[in-house]
Amino acid sequence: RGFGAVSIADIAAALGMSPANIFKHFHSKNALVDAIFVQQIRLLEQKIHPLGAGHAPIDRLRHLARNLMENHRGDLNDNPYIFEMVLMTAKRELACGRYYETVITQKLADIITDGINAGIYKQTDVEKSASTALYALTGVLHPALIAHEDVDILATRCEELVKFIDSALRYGIAK
C-alpha cells in the first residue's frame, strides 16, 4: 500500500508480532525505513562489481555510473514503493543517505586516486572531487530524476556526465 498508508501496527500484524516488539528495535517508521535502506545499500555494494585499476579511469567511471543507474532504475521498476519511501524520507536526516554517499564517494575516490597515480588525472583534493562527482551524477542516480525518464535519455545523460567528470579531472575547470 505504500509508505504513507502503512502503520507500524500493519507491519507488526504482517510479521505476526506486536507493535511493541517492532518499536523495541525501531523507534519510528522512519527508523525502520532507514534500516531497510541501509540493508539495500549493502546489497547494492555486493551487486555493482566495480572495474579494477587495470581499466582506464573513464571506463571505470562509466561502468560505476551505469551500473548504479541501472540498479536504481531496476529497483524503482521492481518496487514502485521505493520511490515513495525515498520521497517521504528525503527531508529527514537518515543514516542511509549518509551511508550511501560514503559508499559511492569512496568508490569514486578509488578511481580518482588510481587516475592520479597513473598520471591521467591532475593532482586534486580527492575527497572533494569524489563528492563533486557524486553530486554531478545525481541526475542519473536520484529516484526523483530517473523514475519516469526514458532509458535511452538516461544512458545518454550518464555518458555525458561521465565525460564531463573525466575532463574535469584530467584538465581541471577554471575557477
Side-chain angles (χ1 to χ4, degrees):
R1 297 183 319 220
F3 179 83
V6 175
S7 68
I8 290 289
D10 295 329
I11 295 167
L15 295 171
M17 59 177 57
S18 72
N21 198 17
I22 291 180
F23 279 117
K24 176 180 165 185
H25 300 284
F26 305 101
H27 65 276
S28 68
K29 189 165 63 167
N30 287 332
L32 178 58
V33 167
D34 197 27
I36 291 168
F37 279 152
V38 166
Q39 184 60 31
Q40 287 299 113
I41 295 164
R42 288 185 178 131
L43 293 172
L44 176 66
E45 281 183 272
Q46 296 171 7
K47 289 178 8 181
I48 56 177
H49 306 295
L51 295 176
H55 294 85
I58 191 169
D59 293 335
R60 293 174 68 193
L61 286 169
R62 182 181 297 112
H63 178 79
L64 178 62
R66 294 272 321 226
N67 207 323
L68 288 168
M69 181 185 70
E70 289 167 3
N71 271 285
H72 292 351
R73 182 71 186 229
D75 286 344
L76 289 171
N77 289 336
D78 294 344
N79 186 350
Y81 295 120
I82 287 177
F83 179 70
E84 181 190 1
M85 289 186 342
V86 168
L87 291 179
M88 294 293 289
T89 60
K91 295 200 182 221
R92 296 169 180 86
E93 280 294 316
L94 299 180
C96 61
R98 291 184 301 278
Y99 181 60
Y100 177 84
E101 188 173 329
T102 299
V103 166
I104 305 307
T105 301
Q106 184 56 57
K107 293 191 179 312
L108 291 164
D110 292 344
I111 295 168
I112 294 167
T113 299
D114 290 345
I116 292 168
N117 292 339
I120 296 167
Y121 291 155
K122 286 186 167 192
Q123 288 291 337
T124 185
D125 178 338
V126 172
E127 186 176 318
K128 185 176 179 181
S129 294
S131 290
T132 302
L134 177 58
Y135 298 143
L137 290 171
T138 299
V140 294
L141 299 180
H142 195 284
L145 300 173
I146 68 171
H148 303 293
E149 189 63 82
D150 180 81
V151 177
D152 292 332
I153 291 171
L154 283 174
T156 300
R157 185 181 303 152
C158 185
E159 180 62 25
E160 294 302 315
L161 286 169
V162 166
K163 287 177 185 176
F164 181 77
I165 292 165
D166 182 69
S167 291
L169 291 166
R170 284 176 188 267
Y171 310 112
I173 295 178
K175 295 182 180 180

